Every structure is written in structure tokens, then in C-alpha cells.
Amino acid sequence: MRIDTSGFQHQNMGVEMLRLFLPKFLLFFLASGLFAQSFHSIQFGGGLVLPRASSKGLSAQVQYNYSLNETYNFYIYSGYFTWDKYNITFIGKSAPYGTEKLFHSYGSNNHVLIPVYFGTRINFNTIKSFTTFIELEAGYSYLSYTAYGHIKETDPETGYTLSYYADQSSAQNTVKNLFGVGFGLGVFHPIAQTVNVVLSYKLNSNFNASESGFFSAFGTYSTLFFGLGINI
């Protein structure tokens, strides 16, 4: 009587293949999982907003990073930036000799900026676990503020300028949809296996509005950021 052993042979072959490939598969899976963890990170923190011609402000920000490799990273971030007065200067003739004088006022206040930016981070140097980087980015910003007209106060006898001040009765809530670009540099340092401390400085400018155009006083600001990056 002939016994059909093909099933056992196929079974043994399957067991043999499983024995050979299972450890490799598990190793690949674990390595992929660990490697993937370094691909993604969340960065959050805050700092100072330094508009070019305004009072200083504060910012809060959250950013998602995707690492293509050890050098190139892509990111998207949003946040909440706020500052008060946009300072402007007028020139007028003042007493006693009618010489020109600078008069200071403000054209708007209560600024709130909410950006949504995409960018690339390039790591280029590591010294004693401190890694320096540059960032290039572009995106959209929602800007709201209160705008004011101005009143010029003059001496009725001489006609010389006494002051300029914001006309509170002319207050107008204003909203701008802006597009801009940014350039930054910074450094990060690991403080735990999955946590980095990040410090960066960035300059941003808008380009689609006349009064807040590219590198204009109203449309340009910088940020000093301090935060944490966590690998996920």
C-alpha cells in the first residue's frame, strides 16, 4: 500500500520556511517600528514675537515633524501669536523755530496672528549632541487687529504741530488673509531618549498686501522660540 506523504512534505516545508523566515520577519517588524518612531515627532512651546515696528508679543505653537532622513525634515505648524501696538512716526514742524520733529503714535493694536505654515528643516552640524539646523517655510496667516485713524493737534496761533494721536472714535476691527515665507535657524539637544529641547529664531514676511507686503514694517516679524520635541 502506497502512503501519500506529499501532505507531510508540504507541511514540513512550510514549517521549515516558517522557522527560517519568522525570526527575520520579527526582526524586520521590530526594526521598522523602532525606525518609524524616529520618523515622527511633535514639537510644542512658545516664546517672543518681535514685529518689526510693533511692541513685543507672545506666542504659543505646536508643530508636527516628519524626518525623511537624519538631514532632511518636513514640518507643518500652527499657533497663536499676539502683540499690541503697531508704532508709526509722523514728521511735523514744531515750536519754537519751526524745525522738523518726529511725532510718535500707533496705527493699530490688539494684533492676533494664526499661521499655518509648511516647511523644510535641514540639519547640518552636530557638536557634543547639539544639532544645528536651518528652516525654510511658506504658508498662510490669519491676522486680526484694531486699526485707527489719526488726529493732528496744532497750535492755533503758530500752526506748529503739537502732537499726533490715534483717533479712538475711528477704531475699526480689521481682518487680513496673508501669505508669506520664512527663514530660521536653531539648535536642538536631546534630554531623554525621545525628548529634545529646541531653541530657534525665525524671520517671516508677507507678500500679498500693500501695507503688509514683503519686508514691510507692518508685514514682517521674527520669533524667538523655546520648546520641546517628542518622538512619537
Side-chain angles (χ1 to χ4, degrees):
M1 181 177 65
R2 180 181 178 184
I3 299 175
D4 186 359
T5 61
S6 60
F8 295 103
Q9 292 174 350
H10 287 302
Q11 184 177 1
N12 290 336
M13 185 180 297
V15 172
E16 184 67 14
M17 292 179 65
L18 187 62
R19 186 180 68 82
L20 290 173
F21 288 102
L22 183 59
K24 296 179 180 179
F25 174 79
L26 291 175
L27 182 62
F28 173 79
F29 177 79
L30 292 174
S32 298
L34 292 174
F35 188 57
Q37 289 179 3
S38 66
F39 268 5
H40 309 275
S41 65
I42 296 293
Q43 179 178 302
F44 60 91
L48 293 177
V49 183
L50 307 168
R52 183 175 166 186
S54 300
S55 57
K56 298 179 179 65
L58 298 174
S59 70
Q61 182 179 316
V62 60
Q63 177 172 307
Y64 165 75
N65 302 305
Y66 175 80
S67 299
L68 189 63
N69 51 46
E70 292 185 356
T71 302
Y72 296 99
N73 304 266
F74 300 103
Y75 62 84
I76 177 174
Y77 74 85
S78 185
Y80 186 89
F81 301 176
T82 181
W83 64 93
D84 192 24
K85 294 179 180 179
Y86 169 59
N87 303 309
I88 55 177
T89 302
F90 297 93
I91 299 177
K93 292 184 178 182
S94 64
Y97 306 110
T99 56
E100 288 189 341
K101 179 182 177 180
L102 299 180
F103 296 90
H104 302 285
S105 183
Y106 63 94
S108 56
N109 62 5
N110 302 322
H111 298 85
V112 172
L113 181 76
I114 301 176
V116 179
Y117 267 69
F118 300 85
T120 300
R121 174 182 290 178
I122 304 172
N123 301 324
F124 63 90
N125 196 8
T126 301
I127 302 175
K128 294 183 179 180
S129 75
F130 285 87
T131 301
T132 53
F133 60 84
I134 59 173
E135 293 180 328
L136 302 171
E137 63 185 32
Y140 161 83
S141 294
Y142 169 90
L143 174 65
S144 67
Y145 57 92
T146 304
Y148 300 91
H150 291 86
I151 294 176
K152 177 182 178 181
E153 185 179 14
T154 59
D155 186 323
E157 295 183 0
T158 64
Y160 292 151
T161 302
L162 298 177
S163 67
Y164 281 87
Y165 59 90
D167 181 5
Q168 300 299 317
S169 65
S170 69
Q172 182 177 359
N173 294 327
T174 306
V175 171
K176 296 286 186 180
N177 295 294
L178 303 173
F179 296 92
V181 294
F183 170 80
L185 52 86
V187 61
F188 66 85
H189 171 66
I191 59 173
Q193 185 175 1
T194 59
V195 182
N196 297 314
V197 174
V198 184
L199 177 66
S200 67
Y201 174 81
K202 191 178 297 180
L203 177 67
N204 290 78
S205 189
N206 304 306
F207 54 78
N208 68 311
S210 57
E211 75 280 7
S212 55
F214 198 52
F215 286 121
S216 67
F218 188 72
T220 303
Y221 65 94
S222 58
T223 54
L224 184 62
F225 172 87
F226 177 78
L228 295 176
I230 301 176
N231 295 336
I232 57 175

